Amino acid sequence: MHIGTTLTNYIIETQRNFKGATGEFTGLLNDIAVACKKISDLVNKGDLVDILGSADSENVQGETQKKMDVISNEIFMEALQHNGHVAGLASEEVDDICRMPKDAPRGHYLVLFDPLDGSSNIDVNVSVGTIFSILKASPHPGDPTTEDFLRPGTEQVAAGYCLYGPSTMMVLTTGQGVNMFTLDRHFGEFLLTHENITIPEDTKEFAINASNMRFWEAPVKRYIDECLQGKEGPRGKDFNMRWVASMVAEVHRILTRGGIFMYPMDEKIKAKGQGGKLRLMYEANPMSFIIEQAGGASTTGRERIMDMKPEHIHQRVPVVLGSKNEVDLVTAYHRS
């Protein structure tokens, strides 16, 4: 592929590598791209179209929804439900899996998505994004069940995210590396701008919410303490810290220049009876697929995220991902 190739042409060329491809996958990714363009346009307009602020409602996790959480979810549902490319949908914003309308044709894919990751940042004009994961639907007749969605990340056929920042960027993997596409607003298309992204194995940058330091487990405290000691400490180099509170923005930075992102297990999370902070199906699995395809690593601190068998569609897990050598070190500290 050459720089400037449209997302549509890229998908068509990619499908030619798969025997028996019907074009359905191309259609699905185009549906996702259309939804992301609509969300990008609204995020770009902000207060001009009254989409900022809270929606006076809560999602299934009990979190206050922003207006754009609700709007983005509706946009994704509308874009994917009626074109015959999906058999079922699951959204971070909805309690249960989403059934297709009775009159809608059924496709051969399942899509799970976080319609607006980092939405708490939208009111202060900081980058937010959409995350999606695609699975093959089970061959049995009828509508998919919740169990059909509960498959490990290794079974994803594609994953990606769309970053709404100074420019709108789509990052996509179909299991053959990671490519970035930038939205040309005048042309109305996502164009290939970075291909075969590779994350450096080493880094001098970490991202973690330091306000939770007093709740961290010993392995995380040890790792961060060693980073903060800089050149004089056991790591022998100075580290910088970053924290955006938007997983899409954090992962995008890591893909661009390396780094490690951590939302680990801590005592506060344990006290709430949760398995972690981030959602396995909507955030951790798709981001892990992208990171691993770019040469990085992604674990809970104790096990590879994509090997986990989900227990329910809103399951939460700890996440440690990014430059391989740093993730391996944090994981080794947990195992020891």
Side-chain angles (χ1 to χ4, degrees):
M1 299 290 174
H2 60 83
I3 300 301
T5 297
T6 66
L7 175 61
T8 301
N9 285 341
Y10 167 82
I11 300 165
I12 291 171
E13 290 296 325
T14 300
Q15 269 217 314
R16 287 176 180 164
N17 296 323
F18 297 94
K19 186 177 180 180
T22 62
E24 186 177 328
F25 184 67
T26 301
L28 172 56
L29 286 177
N30 276 329
D31 292 344
I32 291 172
V34 169
C36 290
K37 290 175 192 177
K38 290 181 178 180
I39 295 170
S40 173
D41 183 61
L42 288 173
V43 169
N44 187 252
K45 290 175 180 175
D47 245 351
L48 295 175
V49 289
D50 191 30
I51 52 87
L52 302 184
S54 298
D56 297 323
S57 59
E58 293 184 347
N59 63 15
V60 63
Q61 288 87 23
E63 300 164 334
T64 300
Q65 291 178 305
K66 296 291 186 180
K67 291 179 183 177
M68 271 304 293
D69 282 320
V70 177
I71 294 169
S72 299
N73 189 67
E74 292 173 350
I75 288 172
F76 246 76
M77 291 292 185
E78 181 183 338
L80 299 181
Q81 278 186 328
H82 299 282
N83 291 342
H85 302 139
V86 298
L89 301 169
S91 168
E92 183 184 300
E93 300 298 328
V94 181
D95 294 15
D96 201 356
I97 61 173
C98 306
R99 311 286 180 183
M100 295 296 99
K102 290 183 179 180
D103 59 343
R106 301 297 193 266
H108 297 90
Y109 295 95
L110 304 176
V111 180
L112 304 98
F113 58 92
D114 179 353
L116 199 68
D117 175 72
S119 58
S120 61
N121 284 325
I122 194 168
D123 292 346
V124 292
N125 209 25
V126 174
S127 296
V128 293
T130 297
I131 309 172
F132 59 90
S133 168
I134 302 175
L135 300 165
K136 285 284 286 184
S138 299
H140 64 70
D143 290 333
T145 64
T146 300
E147 188 64 30
D148 291 324
F149 286 83
L150 300 180
R151 285 142 63 188
T154 51
E155 294 190 27
Q156 295 174 105
V157 296
Y161 65 80
C162 195
L163 174 70
Y164 312 117
S167 60
T168 295
M169 300 191 74
M170 174 83 75
V171 175
L172 177 68
T173 182
T174 57
Q176 298 176 312
V178 179
N179 295 288
M180 292 185 182
F181 302 82
T182 302
L183 180 61
D184 185 324
R185 295 188 182 277
H186 298 290
F187 191 44
E189 281 275 10
F190 283 100
L191 304 179
L192 180 65
T193 47
H194 302 81
E195 59 180 341
N196 298 321
I197 305 298
T198 302
I199 300 171
E201 291 189 347
D202 296 297
T203 185
K204 296 181 180 180
E205 199 164 69
F206 64 88
I208 193 168
N209 185 352
S211 68
N212 290 325
M213 183 183 299
R214 65 193 185 279
F215 303 112
W216 291 343
E217 295 179 320
V220 176
K221 288 181 179 178
R222 175 185 176 185
Y223 175 78
I224 297 301
D225 284 346
E226 291 178 354
C227 290
L228 294 177
Q229 291 175 48
K231 290 180 179 178
E232 293 75 23
R235 302 303 307 280
K237 57 184 179 182
D238 292 330
F239 281 77
N240 290 323
M241 189 186 87
R242 298 287 183 265
W243 186 250
V244 185
S246 166
M247 192 181 191
V248 168
E250 305 283 6
V251 169
H252 195 76
R253 184 184 61 250
I254 289 170
L255 288 173
T256 303
R257 68 188 191 199
I260 181 171
F261 165 82
M262 292 177 283
Y263 215 124
M265 176 58 74
D266 62 37
E267 295 305 320
K268 183 169 66 172
I269 293 172
K270 288 180 183 178
K272 294 179 180 179
Q274 298 172 342
K277 177 65 175 177
L278 300 176
R279 288 76 174 178
L280 174 61
M281 307 295 289
Y282 311 106
E283 297 166 317
N285 266 342
M287 289 307 201
S288 296
F289 193 15
I290 293 168
I291 289 292
E292 288 192 8
Q293 282 294 309
S298 181
T299 76
T300 64
R302 293 173 171 83
E303 62 180 316
R304 183 188 180 208
I305 285 175
M306 290 214 299
D307 285 337
M308 298 180 69
K309 175 67 169 74
E311 297 173 2
H312 54 86
I313 60 170
H314 292 292
Q315 180 178 347
R316 296 177 187 243
V317 294
V319 174
V320 178
L321 60 75
S323 294
K324 187 176 187 304
N325 290 342
E326 295 301 311
V327 174
D328 287 349
L329 182 60
V330 175
T331 304
Y333 285 177
H334 278 85
R335 289 175 176 169
S336 64

